[in-house]
Amino acid sequence: MNKQRLEAFSDGVYAIVITLLILDIRIPQVQPSVLGAALVGMLPQVFTYVLSFFVVGLYWFAHHRVSHQVKQIDGTFIWLNLIWLLFVSVMPFPAALLGRYPLQRIPIAIYGIDLILANVTGFLITVYLKHHPVLCINPISAKSLRSQVPVYAISNGVYVMAIGFAWIFPWLSYGLYAVVLVWLMVRYARINNPFQPDRKT
Amino acid sequence: MNKQRLEAFSDGVYAIVITLLILDIRIPQVQPSVLGAALVGMLPQVFTYVLSFFVVGLYWFAHHRVSHQVKQIDGTFIWLNLIWLLFVSVMPFPAALLGRYPLQRIPIAIYGIDLILANVTGFLITVYLKHHPVLCINPISAKSLRSQVPVYAISNGVYVMAIGFAWIFPWLSYGLYAVVLVWLMVRYARINNPFQPDRKT
Amino acid sequence: MNKQRLEAFSDGVYAIVITLLILDIRIPQVQPSVLGAALVGMLPQVFTYVLSFFVVGLYWFAHHRVSHQVKQIDGTFIWLNLIWLLFVSVMPFPAALLGRYPLQRIPIAIYGIDLILANVTGFLITVYLKHHPVLCINPISAKSLRSQVPVYAISNGVYVMAIGFAWIFPWLSYGLYAVVLVWLMVRYARINNPFQPDRKT
Amino acid sequence: MNKQRLEAFSDGVYAIVITLLILDIRIPQVQPSVLGAALVGMLPQVFTYVLSFFVVGLYWFAHHRVSHQVKQIDGTFIWLNLIWLLFVSVMPFPAALLGRYPLQRIPIAIYGIDLILANVTGFLITVYLKHHPVLCINPISAKSLRSQVPVYAISNGVYVMAIGFAWIFPWLSYGLYAVVLVWLMVRYARINNPFQPDRKT
């Protein structure tokens, strides 16, 4: 029951973040005759919006896969979860920044850093659960934990590359963020029973 | 249980979108003596607000009717559902655009395109369920699926017409959007047991 | 179960509206030396905020008292409920208007009209339930319905008076809105089992 | 069941408030060349954001610990709970004020006053439950209530000190707010079964 409340609260946060993203897509204030051009000029914002929408959706998915393994929670877990939610709740800021300053180094870097921080926190929560089997429905084996390392390592590695490319090929940074997103989405899409910890494709 | 979490998340998104719509109705910043006139000038925005409010309500209704047939979910279903939520979450933008630029072609077209995309995604989800009976409480028969085609075809057809009329009779576009909305609301209102897939009037 | 989803959706809308109200209290953009004076000048907004916060809380309370009597829902009930939610979701607009244009007639009138419309819709829902006993856990007796008429009549009557006084004693309008709110809150506070339809004090 | 609805509504409010905080971190509107400097200049806002995020998280935690003891609710409890939610819902305003006017006395004082009011309301709710054992799963003993007094006294005492220091060492005020937050978070983190009223460390 405790767990369910934490999930309900977290689901609420995810639902709000994913919906708030649209508030940063402000309608242009121009003469109607140039509205079309103004809207075309917003395409970078639209790209960032759609990217961020699915990023938040992906974290929601990941959150459920973690919490599905949980039987009961303790105080530390609640704070770890809250830190995870912090890095997700923050997302509208880097998303708006990237939309407002397209192809700029700093916004690309901040966006990537937020993705990495959220990723790392998610992984730390799994590590914490591994070391506190009393909180889990089934203890998390070392093998199961190790099997998750490559995904985290690859996605974070690509994020770091994307941040680096911001200084030379900013378009490539966008592409790398999108590629990781699509890769993770396809991985998850192939899960038959998505809230089970063990993935069977 | 999986399904319930997806529903709770989706319900959250619908509730937030439908409530956020009011944020785009900004209060006028004028001298009190001309406040009345300023408010009257906002009537196109109010029309768009009310229209969009019930459009989102209608999609929420449709979402529940679809998810009521679902027994369990897989990864693909989650992404399809998220795409559906994307086209609903986006709604505050075309609504604000249409309120800010009343009777303009491009806003009318964008509004209609969003309605069509949301509609088509809803239909694709039903098609997906039809081809994955393991996800359904009762398999969706080809006949049941076919019976839904006319509603989708008519509503999307009228939306396309509304987009076309934006270039010649924009008022008619507004009327067509409103007519489809009222027609669908009346259809749904006549359902006795609204979350059952088979409609008995 | 159907009913629970409608309640969850409605609870979400109430929770969002009540929280969004703070967004209309914009922080002043002034020199720090005159910040105190600027904040004092915001007191009418604060009054409107607190008033509206408890108004939404009251409607949430009323909503639960109505839905507590419901066993199952039909399509018409869903739309009536959505109309009720519309008049609540709209609240941030008249609240912001009243905060921005304190003591002005039109904002006072619009605020009161929204209160009356929400009130009337709540009453119509009860009337609808009375005429559709199949939807209710226990049929609503004519006596029970009649017993609610005075509360609706008094509160709406006072709202109409408040709108009228906006033209001559606008302060009195504020007072009347606050008095009805406190009166209804005290009435509800005395309920021992608040989600039971029959009130025992 | 009544209680569950109140919890769901309250959880919704907490989830929304904690997520809305990011909306007050507006992206800077500057030339890309000075974006870095502009972002560094936002660090006071970021500090306030993170502080407020965990403050709201803490109140959410505290709310659950209180409501965990509740068996059923009455009208007065609902209003007390709503007053508690009011002081939490208000948080985006003092947070934005403190971020916009860093190190200024009045924003520091308003922030602290909101924390104290929320704290006191939480304590009053516990006192109310103590005097209405019929609402509780297990009656709250005088000893249990007394054991909570030091925590409330210390945290509120430090808040008062922080308000006082705003006039001479505003940095110290920030530090004191942060210290109380971390202290309470550590206290809660050491709880094994966080939603139990009796704390066993």
Side-chain angles (χ1 to χ4, degrees):
Chain A
M1 188 183 74
N2 296 349
K3 177 192 155 189
Q4 285 169 3
R5 284 190 204 164
L6 190 78
E7 284 177 348
F9 176 73
S10 304
D11 276 353
V13 169
Y14 282 102
I16 297 156
V17 172
I18 213 168
T19 320
L20 283 185
L21 290 169
I22 196 65
L23 292 188
D24 282 311
I25 311 286
R26 302 282 165 82
I27 57 170
Q29 302 290 344
V30 297
Q31 291 297 316
S33 58
V34 294
L35 180 59
L39 290 171
V40 169
M42 290 175 68
L43 285 182
Q45 278 185 274
V46 172
F47 171 84
T48 313
Y49 169 76
V50 174
L51 182 71
S52 306
F53 188 91
F54 286 105
V55 163
V56 176
L58 197 68
Y59 281 118
W60 171 74
F61 204 146
H63 188 276
H64 272 307
R65 276 172 60 80
V66 168
S67 73
H68 189 78
Q69 309 171 62
V70 174
K71 190 172 63 189
Q72 63 174 85
I73 54 177
D74 61 9
T76 304
F77 185 84
I78 287 176
W79 296 126
L80 285 173
N81 184 68
L82 205 63
I83 293 170
W84 204 8
L85 292 179
L86 172 68
F87 294 129
V88 173
S89 300
V90 152
M91 183 56 68
F93 180 79
L97 202 66
L98 198 58
R100 170 68 180 75
Y101 299 96
L103 298 175
Q104 296 290 319
R105 291 173 297 192
I106 296 174
I108 291 175
I110 290 177
Y111 198 90
I113 289 167
D114 188 30
L115 292 174
I116 292 170
L117 288 172
N119 247 5
V120 168
T121 311
F123 184 68
L124 286 180
I125 287 175
T126 309
V127 172
Y128 183 79
L129 289 176
K130 156 119 186 39
H131 288 91
H132 294 78
V134 71
L135 301 179
C136 300
I137 294 169
N138 296 308
I140 298 175
S141 65
K143 192 182 151 210
S144 163
L145 188 64
R146 268 200 309 274
S147 75
Q148 296 186 36
V149 170
V151 179
Y152 280 103
I154 293 172
S155 53
N156 281 332
V158 178
Y159 292 153
V160 169
M161 281 169 58
I163 294 172
F165 278 120
W167 268 255
I168 39 177
F169 301 121
W171 276 112
L172 190 55
S173 307
Y174 283 52
L176 290 175
Y177 289 148
V179 162
V180 174
L181 177 66
V182 171
W183 173 58
L184 290 174
M185 285 178 71
V186 169
R187 253 184 83 88
Y188 275 29
R190 291 170 64 202
I191 299 168
N192 285 323
N193 199 344
F195 293 143
Q196 291 298 339
D198 294 319
R199 183 168 152 268
K200 289 147 196 135
T201 51
Chain B
M1 190 183 72
N2 296 349
K3 176 193 156 189
Q4 284 170 3
R5 285 190 203 164
L6 190 78
E7 285 177 348
F9 176 73
S10 304
D11 276 352
V13 169
Y14 282 102
I16 298 157
V17 172
I18 212 169
T19 320
L20 283 185
L21 289 169
I22 196 66
L23 292 188
D24 282 312
I25 311 285
R26 303 282 164 83
I27 57 169
Q29 302 291 344
V30 297
Q31 290 298 316
S33 58
V34 294
L35 181 59
L39 290 170
V40 169
M42 291 174 69
L43 285 182
Q45 278 185 274
V46 172
F47 171 84
T48 313
Y49 168 77
V50 175
L51 181 71
S52 306
F53 188 92
F54 286 105
V55 163
V56 176
L58 197 68
Y59 280 117
W60 171 73
F61 203 146
H63 187 275
H64 272 305
R65 276 172 60 80
V66 168
S67 74
H68 189 78
Q69 310 172 63
V70 174
K71 190 172 61 189
Q72 62 175 87
I73 54 179
D74 61 9
T76 304
F77 186 84
I78 287 177
W79 296 126
L80 285 173
N81 184 67
L82 205 63
I83 292 170
W84 205 7
L85 292 179
L86 172 68
F87 293 129
V88 173
S89 300
V90 152
M91 182 57 69
F93 180 79
L97 202 66
L98 198 58
R100 169 67 181 75
Y101 300 96
L103 299 175
Q104 295 290 320
R105 292 171 295 190
I106 296 175
I108 291 175
I110 291 177
Y111 198 91
I113 289 168
D114 189 30
L115 292 174
I116 291 169
L117 287 172
N119 246 7
V120 167
T121 311
F123 185 69
L124 286 180
I125 287 175
T126 308
V127 172
Y128 182 79
L129 289 176
K130 156 119 186 38
H131 288 91
H132 294 78
V134 71
L135 302 179
C136 300
I137 295 170
N138 295 308
I140 299 176
S141 65
K143 192 181 152 209
S144 163
L145 187 65
R146 267 201 309 275
S147 75
Q148 296 185 36
V149 170
V151 178
Y152 281 102
I154 293 172
S155 53
N156 281 332
V158 177
Y159 293 152
V160 169
M161 281 170 57
I163 294 172
F165 278 120
W167 268 256
I168 39 177
F169 300 121
W171 276 113
L172 189 55
S173 306
Y174 283 52
L176 289 175
Y177 288 148
V179 161
V180 173
L181 177 65
V182 171
W183 172 58
L184 290 172
M185 285 179 72
V186 169
R187 252 185 83 89
Y188 275 31
R190 292 171 63 202
I191 299 169
N192 285 324
N193 199 344
F195 293 143
Q196 291 298 339
D198 294 320
R199 181 166 152 270
K200 291 146 196 137
T201 51
Chain C
M1 191 182 72
N2 296 348
K3 176 194 158 188
Q4 284 170 3
R5 285 191 202 164
L6 190 78
E7 284 178 348
F9 176 73
S10 303
D11 276 353
V13 169
Y14 282 103
I16 298 157
V17 172
I18 212 169
T19 319
L20 284 184
L21 290 169
I22 196 65
L23 292 188
D24 282 312
I25 313 285
R26 302 283 165 84
I27 56 170
Q29 302 291 344
V30 298
Q31 290 298 315
S33 57
V34 295
L35 180 58
L39 290 170
V40 169
M42 290 175 69
L43 285 182
Q45 278 185 275
V46 172
F47 171 84
T48 313
Y49 168 76
V50 175
L51 181 71
S52 306
F53 189 92
F54 286 104
V55 163
V56 175
L58 197 68
Y59 281 118
W60 172 73
F61 204 147
H63 187 275
H64 271 306
R65 276 172 60 80
V66 167
S67 73
H68 189 77
Q69 310 171 63
V70 173
K71 189 171 65 190
Q72 63 175 84
I73 53 178
D74 62 8
T76 303
F77 185 84
I78 287 177
W79 296 126
L80 285 173
N81 184 69
L82 205 63
I83 292 169
W84 204 8
L85 291 179
L86 171 68
F87 293 130
V88 173
S89 300
V90 151
M91 182 58 68
F93 181 78
L97 202 66
L98 198 57
R100 169 69 180 75
Y101 299 95
L103 298 174
Q104 295 290 320
R105 291 172 296 191
I106 296 175
I108 291 175
I110 290 178
Y111 197 91
I113 289 167
D114 188 29
L115 291 174
I116 291 170
L117 288 172
N119 246 6
V120 168
T121 312
F123 184 69
L124 286 180
I125 287 175
T126 309
V127 171
Y128 183 78
L129 289 176
K130 155 121 186 37
H131 288 91
H132 294 77
V134 71
L135 301 179
C136 300
I137 295 170
N138 295 308
I140 298 175
S141 65
K143 192 183 154 211
S144 162
L145 187 65
R146 267 200 311 272
S147 75
Q148 296 185 36
V149 170
V151 179
Y152 281 103
I154 292 173
S155 53
N156 281 333
V158 178
Y159 293 152
V160 169
M161 280 169 58
I163 294 173
F165 278 119
W167 268 256
I168 39 177
F169 300 122
W171 277 113
L172 189 54
S173 306
Y174 283 53
L176 290 175
Y177 288 149
V179 162
V180 173
L181 177 66
V182 172
W183 172 59
L184 290 173
M185 285 179 72
V186 170
R187 253 184 83 90
Y188 275 31
R190 291 171 64 201
I191 299 169
N192 285 324
N193 199 343
F195 293 142
Q196 292 297 341
D198 293 321
R199 182 167 153 269
K200 289 145 197 139
T201 50
Chain D
M1 191 184 73
N2 296 349
K3 176 194 157 188
Q4 284 169 3
R5 284 190 204 165
L6 190 77
E7 284 178 348
F9 176 72
S10 304
D11 276 353
V13 170
Y14 282 103
I16 298 156
V17 172
I18 212 168
T19 318
L20 283 185
L21 290 169
I22 196 66
L23 291 188
D24 282 312
I25 313 285
R26 302 281 165 84
I27 57 169
Q29 301 290 344
V30 297
Q31 290 298 315
S33 58
V34 294
L35 181 58
L39 290 170
V40 169
M42 290 175 70
L43 285 181
Q45 277 185 275
V46 172
F47 171 84
T48 313
Y49 169 75
V50 175
L51 182 71
S52 306
F53 188 92
F54 286 104
V55 163
V56 175
L58 197 68
Y59 281 117
W60 171 73
F61 204 146
H63 187 276
H64 271 307
R65 276 172 60 79
V66 167
S67 73
H68 189 77
Q69 309 172 63
V70 174
K71 191 172 63 191
Q72 63 175 84
I73 54 179
D74 63 8
T76 304
F77 185 85
I78 287 177
W79 295 126
L80 285 173
N81 184 69
L82 204 63
I83 292 170
W84 205 8
L85 292 179
L86 171 67
F87 293 128
V88 173
S89 301
V90 152
M91 182 57 68
F93 180 79
L97 203 65
L98 198 57
R100 169 69 180 74
Y101 299 96
L103 298 175
Q104 295 290 320
R105 292 173 294 193
I106 295 174
I108 292 175
I110 290 177
Y111 198 90
I113 289 168
D114 189 29
L115 292 174
I116 292 170
L117 288 172
N119 247 6
V120 168
T121 312
F123 185 69
L124 286 180
I125 287 175
T126 309
V127 172
Y128 183 78
L129 289 176
K130 156 120 185 41
H131 288 92
H132 294 76
V134 70
L135 302 180
C136 300
I137 295 170
N138 295 307
I140 298 176
S141 66
K143 192 183 151 208
S144 163
L145 187 65
R146 268 200 310 273
S147 75
Q148 297 185 35
V149 170
V151 179
Y152 280 103
I154 292 172
S155 54
N156 281 332
V158 178
Y159 293 152
V160 168
M161 280 170 58
I163 294 173
F165 278 119
W167 268 255
I168 39 177
F169 300 122
W171 276 113
L172 189 54
S173 306
Y174 283 53
L176 290 175
Y177 288 148
V179 162
V180 173
L181 177 66
V182 171
W183 172 60
L184 290 173
M185 284 178 73
V186 169
R187 252 185 84 89
Y188 275 31
R190 292 170 64 200
I191 300 168
N192 285 323
N193 198 344
F195 293 142
Q196 291 299 340
D198 293 322
R199 183 169 150 266
K200 290 144 198 140
T201 51

